Amino acid sequence: MYGARELITGVVVCALLAACAPTTQRVRVDSGAAQVEAQKQRQVALQAYVEDQMRLMRVSYPLLTKGADLCGDDIRFTTGMALANQATLLGEDFRESAQKAYQLSDQVQVMYVVPGSAADKAGIRTGDTLRYIDEWGIPTGADAVRQSLDQLKVRTQTGKPVRVDIIRKERGQSLLITPDRACAYPVVLGGGDEVNAYADGKQVIVQRGMMRFAQSDTELALVVSHEIAHNSMGHMRAKMTNYALGSILDIAAQVLLKVPTQGLFGNLGGNAHSQGFEAEADYVGLYIMAQSGGNIENAPQFWRRMATLSPNAIKSSHMASHPATPERFLALEETVKEIRAKQRSGKPLIPNLKNAPDLAADQLMPPEKSQASP
């Protein structure tokens, strides 16, 4: 038996060696030059990653802070600065690139400061090296950034100012940061190339494919605000509850009727009201954008471009988890009108609830001044 396996292996190897192969001569590449090129590519990849991180942070910060009133009790306090050292940007393979491109070391440094954020107002600048957070000394090494972020989270959780000692151009400074109130949903950059973003109830994840697809910051803000709205409206909790209720029927069918449902009712429950949740996230998301001062006028156009990715979505589908594209676009246009009417009449930018009076956009217009008859 053992001899037969060896024979089969030999036949397979011979067949592979005899398979069709390239017929032209390969260009010789110096191994040293290949290593240099690999380092260049790592540096380009690192810079693209950092740029995506900065853009996502810049776009999401005003949504999370200025739209905090729409996040209920899910509130935290944040500073608006990103920390890093040479061990934290894409891992060990990119340590040398981090050193060269951003002059990072084992010390914790400020990688980025959102314009207009709490850190920016306090005088924190990109490139500052952190020495102390209040009386806590900043460590060095691979775990130093995580520890520093944990300390900032604990020390700002009540909104009280935190003192940060930094080194800038070999000179020490002590700065006081008063953190900003924000929705408690970190917006995280995902590593996937798919055009996608999602919320899990605790955070928002935006894939790099979506970062490329969203051509302007307004489009990216539309995506982020939509996902923040999913979290603030409790959609993930509702879907889990619906799934649990459906699963009870699965168990009952299995125990009482001896019928294996393979999770059918649980899946049906989990997908119940999916279109309604998506439409609500569109609606509340535009209010979050408006509260942050974002440009909502052309935001609905984004969904027209999204339709090019899934042409079948243009057809109305009752069973689809997302609203059909034409309905979605028209609903967003009506929401823009509703928000603008509230702004003109000085009404609070708060989404209309089902149990509240249903005020049409034209009802929110300020009354016209009466003109004297000639």
Side-chain angles (χ1 to χ4, degrees):
M1 188 69 179
Y2 179 74
R5 285 200 299 268
E6 284 188 324
L7 177 61
I8 293 173
T9 301
V11 171
V12 171
V13 171
C14 290
L16 291 174
L17 291 175
C20 296
T23 58
T24 58
Q25 184 176 354
R26 291 186 62 184
V27 177
R28 293 184 178 181
V29 176
D30 178 72
S31 59
Q35 292 178 2
V36 172
E37 176 60 26
Q39 180 61 31
K40 290 180 180 179
Q41 292 184 17
R42 281 193 291 270
Q43 188 161 329
V44 170
L46 178 63
Q47 290 173 335
Y49 169 79
V50 170
E51 288 171 4
D52 277 352
Q53 288 275 22
M54 291 179 178
R55 182 191 178 201
L56 186 58
M57 195 171 175
R58 182 181 69 248
V59 169
S60 63
Y61 193 87
L63 298 172
L64 293 168
T65 54
K66 296 180 181 179
D69 287 343
L70 295 180
C71 289
D73 295 331
D74 292 339
I75 296 297
R76 64 172 178 144
F77 290 87
T78 185
T79 62
M81 63 178 176
L83 306 181
N85 65 13
Q86 63 184 8
T88 59
L89 296 182
L90 293 181
E92 185 65 29
D93 290 342
F94 290 83
R95 178 184 290 264
E96 184 177 349
S97 298
Q99 290 174 331
K100 290 183 177 180
Y102 302 104
Q103 293 75 52
L104 294 178
S105 64
D106 283 335
Q107 295 180 307
V108 175
Q109 294 174 248
V110 178
M111 192 69 188
Y112 180 63
V113 179
V114 176
S117 66
D120 183 38
K121 293 174 182 177
I124 299 290
R125 297 294 177 260
T126 299
D128 288 347
T129 299
L130 269 62
R131 298 298 304 276
Y132 287 92
I133 299 175
D134 288 333
E135 76 287 349
W136 185 76
I138 307 292
T140 59
D143 201 39
V145 171
R146 184 193 63 79
Q147 293 180 45
S148 299
L149 292 174
D150 287 346
Q151 284 291 324
L152 280 172
K153 181 179 180 180
V154 170
R155 294 169 187 271
T156 60
Q157 61 184 351
T158 62
K160 293 182 179 179
V162 59
R163 185 165 297 282
V164 177
D165 290 355
I166 58 105
I167 295 293
R168 181 186 303 162
K169 296 181 179 179
E170 300 182 355
R171 295 184 61 183
Q173 295 187 45
S174 184
L175 303 172
L176 194 65
I177 305 176
T178 301
D180 288 325
R181 181 173 176 268
C183 298
Y185 317 123
V187 180
V188 180
L189 179 65
D193 288 327
E194 63 270 25
V195 181
N196 190 28
Y198 61 93
D200 63 6
K202 296 181 179 179
Q203 61 181 358
V204 170
I205 297 91
V206 181
Q207 301 292 0
R208 297 190 71 186
M210 178 62 81
M211 296 289 296
R212 291 189 290 269
F213 183 79
Q215 296 175 350
S216 67
D217 285 356
T218 296
E219 290 187 345
L220 182 58
L222 177 64
V223 173
V224 175
S225 60
H226 173 95
E227 301 303 334
I228 292 173
H230 271 309
N231 285 340
S232 69
M233 299 307 294
H235 292 165
M236 299 307 109
R237 291 191 296 272
K239 294 185 73 156
M240 290 177 64
T241 299
N242 294 340
Y243 177 83
L245 292 173
S247 297
I248 293 175
L249 295 178
D250 287 320
I251 296 171
Q254 176 69 45
V255 174
L256 300 178
L257 304 178
K258 308 300 182 185
V259 177
T261 61
Q262 298 181 342
L264 172 64
F265 294 113
N267 291 330
L268 287 174
N271 290 323
H273 306 295
S274 289
Q275 282 196 3
F277 290 151
E278 291 299 327
E280 186 172 64
D282 283 345
Y283 178 70
V284 176
L286 274 185
Y287 272 88
I288 292 173
M289 279 189 68
Q291 286 200 353
S292 72
N295 178 11
I296 63 173
E297 295 295 339
N298 297 320
Q301 297 287 351
F302 177 74
W303 300 112
R304 279 183 172 166
R305 289 210 307 114
M306 284 291 289
T308 64
L309 297 181
S310 302
N312 290 334
I314 298 175
K315 297 179 180 179
S316 180
S317 174
H318 177 70
M319 295 302 293
S321 62
H322 287 61
T325 300
E327 288 78 9
R328 187 175 215 173
F329 179 81
L330 293 173
L332 285 165
E333 282 191 327
E334 290 302 314
T335 303
V336 170
K337 293 178 183 178
E338 178 181 296
I339 291 172
R340 290 307 186 209
K342 289 182 178 181
Q343 290 174 325
R344 287 192 295 269
S345 62
K347 299 287 185 180
L349 289 183
I350 300 174
N352 296 333
L353 300 178
K354 286 184 178 180
N355 295 330
D358 186 13
L359 300 178
D362 56 354
Q363 291 177 291
L364 294 171
M365 292 285 290
E368 294 183 1
K369 294 182 179 179
S370 60
Q371 296 181 355
S373 57

